[in-house]
Amino acid sequence: MMKRLFVSLGALALASCATMPMAQGPATQMSQPKFPDAADSREVLFWNDETRSARFRAMEDYFAGIEVADADNVRELSKGEPLDAATRGKVDGYLEAMNAAGIMVLQDGKVRYEAYRLGFGPEGRWTSFSVAKSFTSTLLGAAVKDGAIASLDDPVTKYVPALSGTAYDGVTVKQVATMTSGVAWNEDYTDPDSDVAKFLNIAPVPGESQVVTYARTLKREAPAGEKWVYKTLETGLLGLIVENATGEKLAEYAKHKIVDPAGFAGDMFWMTDLSGGNIGGCCVSLRLSDYARMGQFVLEGGQPSVPQGWFEEAGSAQVEFGGGYGYGYQWWTFPGGNYGAQGIFGQYITVVPDRNLVVAVVSNYPTATGEGLTKARRELWQSLIDATKD
């Protein structure tokens, strides 16, 4: 399954003007865009190919966010045995078909293949879109490990009291993490009247998170825990739960729970919304190698940041779609015990535990999603799995 555009396009432009109060430290700083008034900034889905290729690697120039410094101790990625020539040829063919900007394949923590296209390079950053959701989920695990969140079975109102009296009253943290809240939601990003098109455009109530302001408008359609519907708002709520529980912005918390322990080599940019919080469901920008480092960190268990066994649970199908596919805690699950983070226009971190394999891809798909692109992506994974058998 492919993700859709999980942020309001207009909101991304509006967020560039947001005021973002936060406790600044030497490792994080607020970032304001160079071009906040670009006429087409709010039309991400309708940027042409050339514009996407340029702006996907410079989102901080157009939108506000928080910059996070690279790791105190960078994880070096040594070279492993190169993939065989036939596999490299197949991979290159897939990358061309997918209009990919880069790929990095790690096995046993070593680089077996690395390639760049579209003018992208090792020290550049590329946006993630909904790959960010899996970062937010990892920070949820960190908050559990720290004791800031006592249990995933806690009601969300324990951490966001402002949700009392809304459709989220009685919903648990776990149900938000698995998007099984039962709250009605329209994720059709082609529809200007859909929830996903409107929720980040709503003017936040003073002193209130923008996602809470929109959550007040929603109704329930099913009992909590009984129906899965993809809802970007719920990753925003999950991020707010983490922020309220820990007292830190997601980007600040990510510095010492993801960036440092994973050993990121470059700075991270995380976009913010109109109320100044990081957009939990979108828009982290990283080097390709740092997407791969994130996957390796997850593959190795995410220590010391999350509870032991966290990714075995988070990366397992809490909701099953059939055919071996499903959804965990903001991770998509695949046949064979594999799982990954996914974003529109072809951004992926795929984890294959059985092969000790990580595949990181960033792209500029010709369209946000598409059956042919999905087919090419799955064939890419299978070719790499086949080529890395013992």
Side-chain angles (χ1 to χ4, degrees), residues 32-295:
Q32 294 297 336
K34 296 178 181 178
F35 311 114
D37 300 320
D40 61 348
S41 286
R42 65 184 61 206
E43 303 295 339
V44 175
L45 272 180
F46 307 105
W47 286 347
N48 61 32
D49 179 83
E50 182 181 1
T51 301
R52 288 197 308 268
S53 287
R55 294 188 184 177
F56 283 2
R57 53 187 168 187
M59 296 294 270
E60 65 277 9
D61 287 348
Y62 297 89
F63 307 112
I66 299 174
E67 289 277 0
V68 181
D70 59 356
D72 296 338
N73 295 292
V74 173
R75 176 172 185 152
E76 298 299 329
L77 299 176
S78 60
K79 298 294 184 181
E81 180 183 354
L83 297 175
D84 64 88
T87 299
R88 294 199 304 271
K90 286 182 181 180
V91 169
D92 289 344
Y94 296 136
L95 297 182
E96 183 174 357
M98 297 161 63
N99 205 32
I103 184 171
M104 180 171 283
V105 179
L106 303 182
Q107 188 173 33
D108 300 324
K110 297 180 179 180
V111 180
R112 296 202 60 185
Y113 192 64
E114 179 179 8
Y116 297 89
R117 303 175 69 253
L118 310 183
F120 187 51
E123 295 186 358
R125 295 191 296 194
W126 198 273
T127 194
S128 63
F129 292 104
S130 289
V131 168
K133 286 180 168 65
S134 301
F135 280 65
T136 298
S137 166
T138 301
L139 296 179
L140 171 67
V144 171
K145 172 75 176 292
D146 286 348
I149 293 175
S151 170
L152 296 186
D153 294 323
D154 285 345
V156 296
T157 51
K158 177 178 178 179
Y159 304 99
V160 188
L163 291 173
S164 297
T166 73
Y168 285 93
D169 208 337
V171 173
T172 68
V173 174
K174 183 175 182 177
Q175 288 161 349
V176 169
T178 56
M179 297 191 183
T180 58
S181 67
V183 175
W185 178 263
N186 179 357
E187 186 77 14
D188 184 356
Y189 58 89
T190 66
D191 178 1
D193 291 324
S194 68
D195 294 303
V196 75
K198 297 188 297 185
F199 87 103
L200 284 175
N201 280 321
I202 195 169
V205 170
E208 182 173 88
S209 170
Q210 193 173 13
V211 291
V212 171
T213 297
Y214 197 84
R216 294 185 186 282
T217 71
L218 301 177
K219 307 296 183 183
R220 175 166 296 284
E221 66 175 351
E226 293 188 8
K227 183 177 182 179
W228 182 88
V229 175
Y230 199 95
K231 310 180 192 73
T232 291
L233 177 94
E234 297 199 337
T235 319
L237 291 176
L238 200 65
L240 183 60
I241 289 166
V242 171
E243 289 188 341
N244 286 355
T246 64
E248 295 187 76
K249 298 288 188 185
L250 292 179
E252 294 177 299
Y253 200 46
K255 167 61 178 170
H256 51 273
K257 297 300 181 180
I258 295 176
V259 173
D260 283 344
F264 284 7
D267 294 351
M268 178 177 75
F269 171 79
W270 199 331
M271 204 178 291
T272 50
D273 67 13
L274 289 174
S275 48
N278 288 116
I279 300 174
C282 184
C283 308
V284 167
S285 291
L286 291 171
R287 294 183 183 186
L288 175 63
S289 65
D290 289 335
Y291 286 116
R293 286 181 176 89
M294 175 63 173

